[in-house]
Amino acid sequence: MIRNDAQTLDDLVSSLPPGSVITDPASMDAYRWDRANDPNAGVPLAVIRVTSTEEVQTVVRYAAATGTPIVPRGAGSGLSGGSTAVQGGIVLSMDRMKSIEIDPVTRTAVAGPGAFNAEVKAAAAAQGLWYPPDPSSYEICSIGGNVATNAGGLCCVKYGVTTDYVLGLTVVLGDGRAVRLGGARLKDVAGFSLTKLFVGSEGTLGVITEVLLRLIPEQRQPTTLVATFPTLDSATDAVLAITRSMRPSMLEFMDRVTINAVEDTTRMGLDREAAAMLIAQSDEPAGHAAVEIGLIEDICNQNGATECYSTDDPEEGEAFIVARRMAIPAVEKLGALLLEDVGVPLPRLGDLVSGIDQISKNRDVTIAVIAHAGDGNTHPLLLLDPTDEEQQRRAHVAYGEVMNLAIQLGGTITGEHGVGRLKRPWLAEYLGEDVLELNHRIKNALDPQGILNPGAVLEHHGGH
């Protein structure tokens, strides 16, 4: 039986199964950062690898009794410093909670937070079903992390983001209570929408220990179009024209820096001289998919595309999608990265992309831009040289200018990666004073001691 009265770390260790608690500094090191590599990561008191809701409750009750910070962690694939370790805190690793159960009758999946997105997709596919949200890192990112940041992906232009598929959650609150929210119902308006409140909360309001996901019938085989453009404006103009009249299942953007980085890796014959490339897909029923792709090709040509290539061959189409998915790792080979995740209303996409290009020139900083163009969500990747202090300074200035540009264009500082710790300095300007105060009220109501992921999203003011 799990005890809930732990007052010391030794008590906590004895309350959990053997091997759950890691305190060796070298072994803990791998759990201190996500992919943002926050230089301010602390050294935790312990890393605890839990396997059940009850074990999470035990850890949270200990933390509440001792005032110890807790940082929930999924696969560590986050890009905003959301799971950066806190000095003297506990890193609560969910990587062992990987259960997946598919119910083909209700078309739902019950998944542990440590299950990979790809594993949920595979389990659903075995039943002829599909889980659409597909971050580029879908093979290595966890469902718990996806829910914590409300992750999107390449299909979200047509199919939506994580929150559109979360029907229910089990959450451990800051006092150790476990609550079940939502359920296998497509309609439910009883009480406030608490399930949606926890989606995107980045571990600051509670610890998610189980997720109930909506599934849909498997996707039809898509037809793919690749179009290259001589200017950034011609590519973004094409995006607006496409989205004005149709809803492709994918509409992705890569700029010249990205195209060349991907070509360096793949040698697949991408046009290195193109200013931009669009990858579009249609998964409409057979026959109509080809018609829709033909209409998209016409729009691209009307907007000055230098080349268009379409294919209904599954392997050939997937090769282009793989090229898009590898964009961040490919650019990362060129140097250290500052990763952004800014989004704007679609009519301002061209202003954002051209504005980023101007910031790059003004600050003499290379910025690669990839984007889920169909919904206005861009990922500027700022390259910096860790050995050049002056270049690093310029890169950080440019990072802030990109963030400010997005806000000025009526956009957001994060579309799907989360605020984490990297973007927190811009949150107040983005939200405004009143909305920021509401966020603090909610945080204080659900986590009055301030022990849940302190410093992520909101500035930490200590316990209350």
Side-chain angles (χ1 to χ4, degrees):
M1 181 176 176
I2 296 175
R3 289 168 29 211
N4 293 312
D5 58 352
Q7 295 290 323
T8 69
L9 185 59
D10 287 342
D11 289 340
L12 182 60
V13 171
S14 65
S15 300
L16 296 167
S20 301
V21 182
I22 302 170
T23 56
D24 172 62
S27 300
M28 291 195 298
D29 212 45
Y31 294 85
R32 292 177 57 204
W33 295 274
D34 61 13
R35 284 190 65 197
N37 293 316
D38 185 349
N40 298 312
V43 178
L45 173 72
V47 172
I48 302 180
R49 302 177 72 196
V50 287
T51 62
S52 68
T53 297
E54 291 74 21
E55 289 177 18
V56 173
Q57 289 180 275
T58 297
V59 177
V60 172
R61 285 172 179 151
Y62 164 81
T66 59
T68 305
I70 289 182
V71 177
R73 179 187 174 89
S77 63
L79 296 166
S80 64
S83 59
T84 298
V86 172
Q87 185 69 28
I90 289 170
V91 174
L92 189 61
S93 176
M94 321 300 284
D95 62 343
R96 289 178 168 175
M97 298 183 70
K98 296 176 70 70
S99 61
I100 302 171
E101 295 177 15
I102 306 295
D103 184 342
V105 178
T106 60
R107 290 206 309 232
T108 58
V110 178
F116 289 154
N117 180 295
E119 292 171 335
V120 172
K121 285 184 185 297
Q127 300 287 343
L129 298 169
W130 183 37
Y131 177 64
D134 63 336
S136 293
S137 58
Y138 79 103
E139 293 174 314
I140 60 169
C141 63
S142 70
I143 287 295
N146 289 176
V147 173
T149 60
N150 193 18
L154 280 66
C155 291
C156 52
V157 59
K158 182 174 183 177
Y159 290 99
V161 296
T162 300
T163 191
D164 300 307
Y165 297 88
V166 177
L167 292 174
L169 297 170
T170 300
V171 181
V172 175
L173 303 177
D175 59 6
R177 284 180 296 163
V179 295
R180 286 186 178 272
L181 307 171
R185 302 171 292 276
L186 295 180
K187 293 182 176 179
D188 185 351
V189 294
F192 298 129
S193 184
L194 296 179
T195 305
K196 299 297 185 186
L197 177 64
F198 282 92
V199 178
S201 63
E202 302 187 48
T204 63
L205 303 180
V207 181
I208 295 167
T209 61
E210 189 175 83
V211 185
L212 178 65
L213 297 167
R214 178 170 69 96
L215 306 175
I216 63 176
E218 61 186 346
Q219 186 184 30
R220 293 177 288 267
Q221 182 59 50
T223 298
T224 305
L225 171 75
V226 180
T228 53
F229 294 84
T231 66
L232 294 173
D233 286 345
S234 59
T236 55
D237 286 347
V239 169
L240 291 186
I242 293 164
T243 55
R244 197 176 288 128
S245 57
M246 62 193 82
R247 195 180 183 192
S249 57
M250 187 180 297
L251 186 53
E252 295 291 305
F253 170 99
M254 293 162 54
D255 73 351
R256 178 177 289 141
V257 177
T258 311
I259 292 168
N260 277 273
V262 171
E263 178 62 14
D264 287 343
T265 300
T266 65
R267 304 294 179 185
M268 62 188 296
L270 301 180
D271 182 359
R272 290 184 179 273
E273 298 305 312
M277 182 171 86
L278 296 181
I279 304 171
Q281 284 194 329
S282 172
D283 64 356
E284 292 297 308
H288 189 65
V291 171
E292 186 169 65
I293 285 295
L295 293 171
I296 293 174
E297 182 173 351
D298 289 343
I299 289 172
C300 290
N301 284 324
Q302 290 162 16
N303 283 277
T306 51
E307 184 181 6
C308 291
Y309 176 76
S310 63
T311 178
D312 59 6
D313 180 84
E315 291 187 8
E316 199 172 16
E318 182 60 23
F320 287 109
I321 306 309
V322 169
R324 164 59 187 88
R325 289 191 189 280
M326 68 168 50
I328 292 178
V331 175
E332 207 165 16
K333 291 180 180 179
L334 304 177
L337 294 184
L338 286 173
L339 298 101
E340 303 223 41
D341 173 37
V342 294
V344 290
L346 267 173
R348 306 310 298 271
L349 178 63
D351 295 330
L352 177 63
V353 171
S354 60
I356 291 170
D357 184 52
Q358 192 59 51
I359 290 169
S360 172
K361 291 172 181 172
N362 291 346
R363 297 296 174 188
D364 191 22
V365 172
T366 299
I367 305 179
V369 178
I370 54 177
H372 306 306
D375 52 27
N377 185 192
T378 70
H379 299 320
L381 313 175
L382 289 84
L383 279 157
L384 72 162
D385 181 351
T387 66
D388 185 337
E389 288 188 15
E390 172 57 24
Q391 196 272 347
Q392 282 192 62
R393 185 196 65 77
R394 296 197 311 275
H396 281 90
V397 170
Y399 185 92
E401 289 176 338
V402 170
M403 210 78 74
N404 293 334
L405 174 64
I407 295 172
Q408 290 162 15
L409 294 174
T412 176
I413 61 174
T414 175
E416 59 186 8
H417 292 168
V419 176
R421 290 167 176 82
L422 256 63
K423 304 187 194 79
R424 190 187 67 205
W426 290 270
L427 187 64
E429 180 186 353
Y430 169 67
L431 291 179
E433 186 177 338
D434 290 340
V435 176
L436 181 64
E437 193 263 341
L438 281 177
N439 276 258
H440 277 289
R441 273 202 225 178
I442 293 168
K443 169 69 169 170
N444 292 338
L446 292 174
D447 180 25
Q449 288 182 268
I451 60 173
L452 297 175
N453 211 1
V457 185
L458 300 172
E459 187 175 350
H460 180 48
H461 298 300
H464 294 272

